[in-house]
Amino acid sequence: LAKTTQPISMDSYEGQEVNITCSHNNIATNDYITWYQQFPSQGPRFIIQGYKTKVTNEVASLFIPADRKSSTLSLPRVSLSDTAVYYCLVGAAERDYKLSFGAGTTVTVRA
Amino acid sequence: KAGVTQTPRYLIKTRGQQVTLSCSPISGHRSVSWYQQTPGQGLQFLFEYFSETQRNKGNFPGRFSGRQFSNSRSEMNVSTLELGDSALYLCASSLADRENGYTFGSGTRLTVV
């Protein structure tokens, strides 16, 4: 699995957009980029997955530049309930039997 | 549809005892993985099962074992418990191709005293 680097923590306020950038310089051709969200004492929850350009769903957007060496998770108009740890993972589903979670980014949303 | 169900939710055991944790995956999911989460080590992969076979194993001692049944339900067993085994144990299930991500359960909080 490609190694990822993301900020340890980020602070924001309700209603703002939060952008978390993840670096993955040694991403392989077949690798996808996946983001998970985790609340205390709960299991991680799949947020979004992408391969290139931009992916959007009902909760977030994922921006991937052409070189794919980084990606940015964008959370629009965050609320207090978006306070959580966000993990960036890179790997190819068909060959990666395990998910390698780093320390993640702790996002704290304040009123 | 029902999510991944882990039982029990909380457990307290004494050093030296053994424990069995259960995981029922989402219907149709054949891959089940187990993770240990502690404040110091984060999320660490234990093992993955697919069609009743262990496909991959993390770097944990042999005290940690698991199995999967024909209905894809999985159990994890830890023998000779140590204080350091206190953690949140998470189970995740996915479709066979794993390309749509993993769905995690809420975990079992194990405390060893």
Side-chain angles (χ1 to χ4, degrees):
Chain A
L1 290 172
K3 179 177 170 57
T4 61
T5 302
Q6 52 184 122
I8 295 297
S9 64
M10 296 181 72
D11 289 342
S12 184
Y13 291 91
E14 284 190 293
Q16 289 188 332
E17 178 182 80
V18 172
N19 296 307
I20 309 171
T21 297
C22 178
S23 298
H24 28 80
N25 291 321
N26 59 339
I27 188 170
T29 303
N30 294 336
D31 286 345
Y32 280 78
I33 301 157
T34 310
W35 286 81
Y36 284 82
Q37 173 194 56
Q38 186 178 25
F39 299 112
S41 297
Q42 293 187 28
R45 182 175 75 101
F46 173 89
I47 300 176
I48 197 167
Q49 184 179 73
Y51 183 79
K52 62 180 179 180
T53 62
K54 176 184 174 181
V55 180
T56 298
N57 61 23
E58 63 276 8
V59 297
S61 294
L62 179 59
F63 298 92
I64 305 169
D67 66 6
R68 304 202 325 125
K69 293 185 182 299
S70 68
S71 59
T72 299
L73 174 72
S74 179
L75 306 172
R77 298 179 300 281
V78 295
S79 63
L80 296 176
S81 63
D82 291 316
T83 294
V85 179
Y86 293 82
Y87 297 96
C88 166
L89 287 80
V90 173
E94 69 276 7
R95 62 173 167 78
D96 295 318
Y97 296 116
K98 61 182 179 180
L99 300 179
S100 180
F101 288 82
T105 298
T106 299
V107 172
T108 303
V109 181
R110 307 180 192 281
Chain B
K1 59 182 178 182
V4 177
T5 303
Q6 290 189 246
T7 57
R9 189 75 175 87
Y10 300 94
L11 203 53
I12 300 175
K13 289 287 188 178
T14 304
R15 272 186 304 175
Q17 287 187 313
Q18 74 165 9
V19 66
T20 298
L21 312 181
S22 179
C23 172
S24 293
I26 289 175
S27 178
H29 284 194
R30 295 166 63 191
S31 168
V32 175
S33 301
W34 288 90
Y35 291 80
Q36 180 196 66
Q37 186 171 34
T38 59
Q41 299 296 321
L43 264 159
Q44 292 187 289
F45 171 78
L46 281 156
F47 28 66
E48 184 203 23
Y49 285 88
F50 182 81
S51 293
E52 302 177 65
T53 300
Q54 186 181 87
R55 284 207 290 197
N56 202 22
K57 191 177 188 299
N59 298 320
F60 279 80
R63 300 186 297 107
F64 292 82
S65 64
R67 60 177 176 170
Q68 186 180 34
F69 302 94
S70 58
N71 61 358
S72 293
R73 189 177 72 85
S74 177
E75 287 183 348
M76 191 192 92
N77 184 276
V78 187
S79 62
T80 320
L81 284 166
E82 301 176 358
L83 295 179
D85 297 332
S86 295
L88 180 65
Y89 290 88
L90 293 161
C91 164
S93 75
S94 68
L95 293 169
D97 60 11
R98 299 194 296 283
E99 287 190 357
N100 291 313
Y102 288 75
T103 302
F104 283 80
S106 295
T108 293
R109 172 72 64 183
L110 171 65
T111 302
V112 182
V113 297

